[in-house]
Amino acid sequence: MRRRPRQATLLALLAALFCATLVAPPAASAAVGLRVSGTNITEANGTNFIFRGVSHAHVWYQDRLATSLAGIKSLGANSVRVVLSGGRWTPANNAADVANVVAQCKANKLICVLENHDTTGYGEQGGAVTLDAAVNYWLSVQSALTGQEDYVVVNIGNEPIGNNAVTPGWAQATSSAITRLRTAGFQHLLMVDAPNWGQDWSFTMRDNARTVFNADPQRNTVFSIHMYGVFDTASEINAYLDAFRTAQLPLVIGEFGHNHSDGNPDEDTIMAQAQTRGIGYIGWSWSGNSSDVGYLDMTNNFNASSLTSWGERIFNGANGIKSTSREATIFGGGGTDTTPPSIPSTPSVANITSTGATLTWSISTDTGGSGLAGYNVYRRQGTADTLIGQSTTNTITLTGLTPNTSYQVLVRARDGAGNLSGNSPVTTFTTTSGGGTDTTPPSTPGTPAASNVTTTSATLTWAASTDTGGSGLAGYNVYREGGALLGQSTTNSITLTGLTAGLVYRVYVRARDGAGNLSANSPTVTFTTTGGGTTGCTATATAQSQWGNGYVMQVVVTNNGTTTMSGWTVTATLPSGHTITGSWNANLTTGSGTLTARNVSYNGTVAAGQTASFGFQGGRPDNSTTLPSAFTCTAL
């Protein structure tokens, strides 16, 4: 986070938001000490370690180190993130001071995450330094860190790029920093922060994480996302965490708060999902924030016996540090986890072919302390359950199955201690008859025609598709615009039921064949169910930040009707010479001086009186002060 001591000025945090491509990396050299194992962090003995800690602003309060770390430990934390500087703030933290920090962390049985704050906001904030300069600092204190790999994580640079484009970009600069540290002999677990002041609303870290991870010859780098105003809804938080889980890359929530100037982060979801998924979190911050963000202090004047409301929440609240933290085993902690994870739900089956099928189930939770490690998938044959696959996520694609064969399958969750949950309910499916591998999708269905529209239903009919791939036409999937599946049919007609009265529906069809191939989308048909209450929405835009040739805007969409709206479209006037350089939580298009934003799949449904939000970053001619205007909203 961009913070300064109370004597300094806090820069307003710019907001905005948010899967990596799975590429098999080459073999990595063995890591030393704390290390990455799949999506988990483990100690040298293989025990999962899940960060439950807070940040301490050591560079500005160097006389508070001993009492702060003791207080943090007393409230149950297993880790602390310590703010250091190589000279942007003085006095700089030299090798002797860093050695003392590490000694104090070990004395208090805290895993020590050391971060260089000098990079904060590079490209946007005066005085910020590059990641290359941050590496120079780490090299200057290397003598204090060598041999401490079991206890220390090197967080290369805090929030290393602001919202402006820089050269080299985040991926290249981060990869280079990792390579330099490894070449210099650093064996530590490395932690790298996202750009966009740590919040990655441009998805730069998310989309380039695999490349950066592969740049580490030890494959021992964990990614750190900072969650403030960009992450103010459960859907945004889950979508970001899902992306790293799908990519099978390690992630920690390296900073977050309960409030911020750029929005109201959803700390309840952040903490609950971190616990459910076995992801580490580190809250900002122990004490000493400047007055404009003093609400982020967890204690009053560094006093562990005087917690603020934020301190009470993160230490003692639901999914808080006290109830979920487990001391690192290297300090003699960890205990023995004998509590199994919760039971997964009944697996659903999709994309059945002659030799494969995709299974999906609800995510299990683990409260024993070792963290959820993944799932085992079994085939049931009589009284025997045979393991046929494992996954670290709540989905798996089974391969190598036998054509035209019935399969009964179930799932069991497993935790870091090896405990297995009970069996999920069994699901049954039959593979197709085979005849080769069909990779040819059916032809595109015709435009659907809507008829017999009522308050809760409508009948759709379309021109039939054909299939030439060999597996045969199996049926059709009917979707609402945005990707929500409304129904399936084996013929070229369907009667949709359970619709909402008085709503606009935009619907399209995709054909599917016996191998699971899907056709392209048909043209869309639009119809409105009858009856229902009133609909309507408004769009309120706020300039979050402005500079000479750019700006960031946040738009809040409010449902002013009496019924739930299932989608929305916002239009605005885009001044001449303006361009959109990034956006989040909406699909944006521009043309003829108009900006159009449409909801994405997870924020289109808005109950009466509730809100959704999106944002974007714009560029404009030098010295211009104009902004997009005349925002209007249409409810769907």
Side-chain angles (χ1 to χ4, degrees), residues 110-264:
L110 293 166
I111 294 298
C112 203
V113 181
L114 302 177
E115 63 105 330
N116 185 344
H117 217 72
D118 294 348
T119 56
T120 306
Y122 176 71
E124 190 174 343
Q125 171 56 39
V129 306
T130 64
L131 280 169
D132 196 52
V135 172
N136 293 339
Y137 169 72
W138 292 117
L139 297 180
S140 75
V141 298
Q142 185 173 6
S143 61
L145 301 177
T146 300
Q148 303 300 326
E149 292 84 359
D150 285 321
Y151 307 95
V152 170
V153 180
V154 175
N155 190 175
I156 302 175
N158 181 68
E159 300 176 358
I161 298 174
N163 288 322
N164 293 337
V166 299
T167 302
W170 178 86
Q172 182 180 346
T174 305
S175 297
S176 176
I178 292 169
T179 301
R180 283 189 64 201
L181 287 171
R182 294 301 186 212
T183 300
F186 276 79
Q187 302 292 305
H188 305 72
L189 173 64
L190 302 179
M191 184 180 291
V192 295
D193 283 10
N196 306 131
W197 298 92
Q199 296 203 78
D200 201 28
W201 58 259
S202 64
F203 300 143
T204 301
M205 183 172 82
R206 184 198 70 178
D207 294 344
N208 292 279
R210 174 59 65 183
T211 298
V212 171
F213 187 78
N214 288 348
D216 182 354
Q218 295 189 9
R219 307 295 187 267
N220 200 29
T221 297
V222 61
F223 298 90
S224 172
I225 182 68
H226 293 185
M227 290 188 165
Y228 292 103
V230 170
F231 296 93
D232 58 354
T233 66
S235 59
E236 292 161 346
I237 294 162
N238 284 316
Y240 198 88
L241 300 182
D242 285 345
F244 276 79
R245 181 172 61 189
T246 299
Q248 287 295 279
L249 289 169
L251 181 73
V252 298
I253 301 164
E255 281 190 23
F256 73 105
H258 69 304
N259 193 13
H260 205 264
S261 57
D262 69 334
N264 183 12

Side-chain angles (χ1 to χ4, degrees), residues 1 85 87 90 148 159 186 189 207 217 230 296 376 453 463 482 496 567:
M1 181 178 176
S85 174
T90 57
Q148 303 300 326
E159 300 176 358
F186 276 79
L189 173 64
D207 294 344
V230 170
L296 286 172
N376 295 349
V453 180
L496 301 173

Side-chain angles (χ1 to χ4, degrees), residues 462-593:
W462 54 90
S465 297
T466 58
D467 184 72
T468 60
S471 61
L473 188 68
Y476 302 87
N477 295 350
V478 181
Y479 300 90
R480 189 168 187 182
E481 187 177 60
L485 182 66
L486 292 177
Q488 293 182 307
S489 174
T490 57
T491 71
N492 63 322
S493 181
I494 190 173
T495 297
L496 301 173
T497 60
L499 305 182
T500 302
L503 284 187
V504 177
Y505 285 83
R506 291 187 174 91
V507 177
Y508 61 89
V509 181
R510 300 182 72 180
R512 66 180 188 275
D513 64 19
N517 300 304
L518 290 174
S519 74
N521 298 349
S522 76
T524 300
V525 65
T526 301
F527 63 89
T528 303
T529 51
T530 59
T534 61
T535 61
C537 60
T538 56
T540 304
T542 303
Q544 295 266 308
S545 182
Q546 299 188 57
W547 53 98
N549 61 352
Y551 51 86
V552 172
M553 298 198 76
Q554 188 80 359
V555 183
V556 176
V557 175
T558 303
N559 182 356
N560 298 314
T562 60
T563 60
T564 297
M565 63 182 187
S566 57
W568 45 264
T569 300
V570 172
T571 60
T573 300
L574 189 67
S576 177
H578 285 225
T579 58
I580 302 302
T581 58
S583 65
W584 52 98
N585 297 341
N587 294 316
L588 263 66
T589 57
T590 59
S592 303

Side-chain angles (χ1 to χ4, degrees), residues 30-84:
V32 175
L34 291 162
R35 65 196 65 186
V36 169
S37 177
T39 59
N40 298 320
I41 305 302
T42 71
E43 297 183 66
N45 63 7
T47 303
N48 276 5
F49 181 77
I50 301 174
F51 294 93
R52 288 291 183 266
V54 303
S55 290
H56 169 60
H58 174 63
V59 65
W60 302 302
Y61 300 99
Q62 297 188 25
D63 60 337
R64 304 278 192 158
L65 179 67
T67 56
S68 293
L69 268 55
I72 291 167
K73 180 63 178 182
S74 72
L75 293 171
N78 64 13
S79 51
V80 61
R81 183 168 176 259
V82 181
V83 179
L84 303 175

